[in-house]
Amino acid sequence: MSRTSPHIHLPSAEVSRRGLLKTAGGLTAALALGASASATTADAAPAAFTHPGMLHNAGDINRAKVRVAAGDDPWLSGWNRLTANSHSASTWTPNPQATIIRGGTGENYGILYNDIAAAYQNALRWKVGGTEANAECAAKILNAWSSTLATVTGNADRFLAAGIYGWEFANAAELMRDYDGFDLAAFQDMMVSVFYPLNDSFLTSHNDACITNYWANWDLCTMASVMAIGILCDDGAKYDQAVSYFKTGAGNGSIQHAVPFLYANVDGYDLGQWQEFGRDQGHTVMGMGQMGAICEMAWNQGDDLYSYDSRRFMKAAQYVAKYNLGDDVPFTTYTWGSGQTCTQQSQTVIGSGSRGQVRPVWAMLHFHYNRRLYLDDKYISAMYYSVAPEGGGGDYGSTSGGYDQLGFGTLMYAK
């Protein structure tokens, strides 16, 4: 089976996508596994990682290249958003820092997220458009940071910085890993020595707070960084750490904690309440992007987390999209323990703040569930088409929220 062909959909069981890919006579094997397949079995990391194999695989890149060259929409519209973004210019000058601070005195993390956006966007322009100047620029940015950055610090927000910018940075590097002018080894060393220790510390101890104290996105960005570093460095243990946490982790980023309540057949669709839904919609939609990134990276390594636990994530994405399109959704009071003593708090109503906020997270989800799996994703689809073509960092404001996802999903995922 080709890694870019439609996935075999077995609604009665969760079957490892990699297992189907590696098993001779995949369809026969899949049907034989049937109801005996376990949804809780953690897969081992692949014997050999696929590269490029994070947010984009070789098929994604080739499709975008061919379609843009042919002038086909919506790929061309997505490409035009990319080339119009100032971060994608090959003249971008990096500004590497030895210390990045997020939270507290002396914050400077905006420098980092702008340079990451520039590295990623230049890498995309090189991969899709073939322009050497963009490759040189992306490599220059990545090399500058890997030879300079020594510390990510600040208050508790340092864990957010290490998580969000960790997985994004690794994705830019993954696109550039076969470029001669890029020092992959130095970059891998920076990711392992600067970002991963903070990632691991947070998933292990949660800053010495109650396990439920931190919102789902704190875990999710951390899990995404651990997974991305594992792929970038061909490190199976790190990759497995992220996959295992997604399935059974104790914090709010694991799938059953991130989607604590399910609702069957609401106007004909199964929905799932997101953990941050009583907080606000900006952070809730951010969660669609963070968990989506984890699922897409795993998919490109042969693991189907998108469908794990009876497609629990899809139910949440449908729920979030439905509400942010202006429709009503059910809500169950959410109660959790906070601080170091697990002081109980509750949210009794939906957090309507930032309702309808645009973030470039929906293309990835729509083109997976609807075009790979041929599922009816009514609300995800409507949300995607309401915001397409998707841009990226620099297209959604200058504050950090506009850089919490790499974007350009229309260009890279449209099928």
Side-chain angles (χ1 to χ4, degrees):
M1 179 190 297
S2 166
R3 286 183 180 269
T4 56
S5 63
H7 176 57
I8 295 172
H9 174 48
L10 299 173
S12 64
E14 303 293 344
V15 180
S16 164
R17 179 168 178 264
R18 188 190 316 117
L20 296 181
L21 289 166
K22 292 173 67 176
T23 301
L27 178 58
T28 302
L31 294 174
L33 281 168
S36 66
S38 171
T40 58
T41 300
D43 295 315
F49 283 93
T50 298
H51 298 295
M54 291 191 206
L55 290 186
H56 313 303
N57 60 38
D60 294 333
I61 294 166
N62 185 65
R63 182 182 57 246
K65 178 186 293 187
V66 170
R67 293 293 195 168
V68 170
D72 295 339
D73 264 334
W75 299 271
L76 183 60
S77 294
W79 172 257
N80 288 340
R81 287 219 73 176
L82 172 62
T83 58
N85 191 312
S86 63
H87 291 76
S88 79
S90 62
T91 54
W92 185 275
T93 301
N95 185 17
Q97 306 291 309
T99 301
I100 283 295
I101 303 169
R102 178 164 179 168
T105 303
E107 285 189 323
N108 64 349
Y109 65 101
I111 295 171
L112 177 57
Y113 65 65
N114 274 280
D115 272 5
I116 291 173
Y120 174 73
Q121 292 176 32
N122 271 275
L124 275 190
R125 288 190 66 168
W126 172 54
K127 285 292 190 182
V128 176
T131 45
E132 179 71 17
N134 291 110
E136 291 175 356
C137 180
K140 180 180 179 181
I141 296 167
L142 298 173
N143 291 341
W145 279 92
S146 66
S147 63
T148 305
L149 182 64
T151 305
V152 175
T153 189
N155 60 20
D157 285 0
R158 70 190 184 277
F159 295 111
L160 282 177
I164 297 169
Y165 311 134
W167 76 260
E168 291 184 340
F169 228 168
N171 266 273
E174 178 75 357
L175 291 175
M176 297 301 300
R177 66 183 301 132
D178 58 346
Y179 183 69
D180 288 342
F182 171 47
D183 190 343
L184 175 61
F187 198 89
Q188 290 170 324
D189 182 66
M190 176 189 70
M191 297 307 299
V192 170
S193 63
V194 177
F195 288 87
Y196 178 73
L198 285 168
N199 301 153
D200 183 57
S201 173
F202 186 78
L203 288 185
T204 303
S205 68
H206 286 83
N207 202 29
D208 297 324
C210 183
I211 190 65
T212 56
N213 179 72
Y214 288 97
W215 303 103
N217 274 309
W218 289 68
D219 269 2
L220 288 170
C221 68
T222 302
M223 294 152 60
S225 183
V226 171
M227 178 175 283
I229 293 169
I231 296 168
L232 184 72
C233 300
D234 295 298
D235 187 329
K238 290 180 175 60
Y239 177 86
D240 280 346
Q241 180 183 6
V243 172
S244 295
Y245 201 96
F246 178 94
K247 294 179 176 180
T248 60
N252 284 324
S254 59
I255 185 65
Q256 292 195 8
H257 292 113
V259 191
F261 306 114
L262 299 177
Y263 308 98
N265 194 23
V266 179
D267 299 327
Y269 294 87
D270 293 340
L271 306 177
Q273 183 173 315
W274 188 251
Q275 189 264 340
E276 300 195 46
F277 211 70
R279 184 187 184 192
D280 63 64
Q281 296 308 301
H283 287 94
T284 292
V285 176
M286 176 186 175
M288 300 302 98
Q290 303 286 356
M291 185 168 279
I294 292 168
C295 291
E296 187 67 20
M297 289 190 290
W299 176 269
N300 285 326
Q301 295 302 327
D303 285 311
D304 186 2
L305 299 184
Y306 276 117
S307 294
Y308 185 76
D309 196 10
S310 301
R311 296 191 300 276
R312 197 179 187 100
F313 178 42
M314 181 183 180
K315 295 170 186 176
Q318 286 272 80
Y319 176 92
V320 172
K322 187 176 195 290
Y323 180 74
N324 281 276
L325 287 164
D327 296 337
D328 293 331
V329 294
F331 183 80
T332 300
T333 294
Y334 177 72
T335 301
W336 75 100
S338 65
Q340 291 183 308
T341 59
C342 291
T343 302
Q344 191 173 87
Q345 297 193 47
S346 294
Q347 293 168 336
T348 59
V349 297
I350 293 170
S352 61
S354 301
R355 188 178 189 180
Q357 183 183 83
V358 176
R359 285 179 181 251
V361 304
W362 298 104
M364 183 189 303
L365 309 185
H366 167 61
F367 287 108
H368 176 79
Y369 288 119
N370 185 264
R371 302 299 176 88
R372 281 177 178 154
L373 303 190
Y374 304 109
L375 299 173
D376 180 358
D377 66 337
K378 176 181 178 179
Y379 303 112
I380 297 169
S381 175
M383 180 60 77
Y384 164 66
Y385 284 109
S386 75
V387 302
E390 287 183 351
D395 290 321
Y396 301 96
S398 60
T399 58
S400 62
Y403 294 81
D404 286 342
Q405 45 282 306
L406 292 168
F408 302 104
T410 302
L411 171 65
M412 298 308 297
Y413 298 117
K415 297 176 178 63

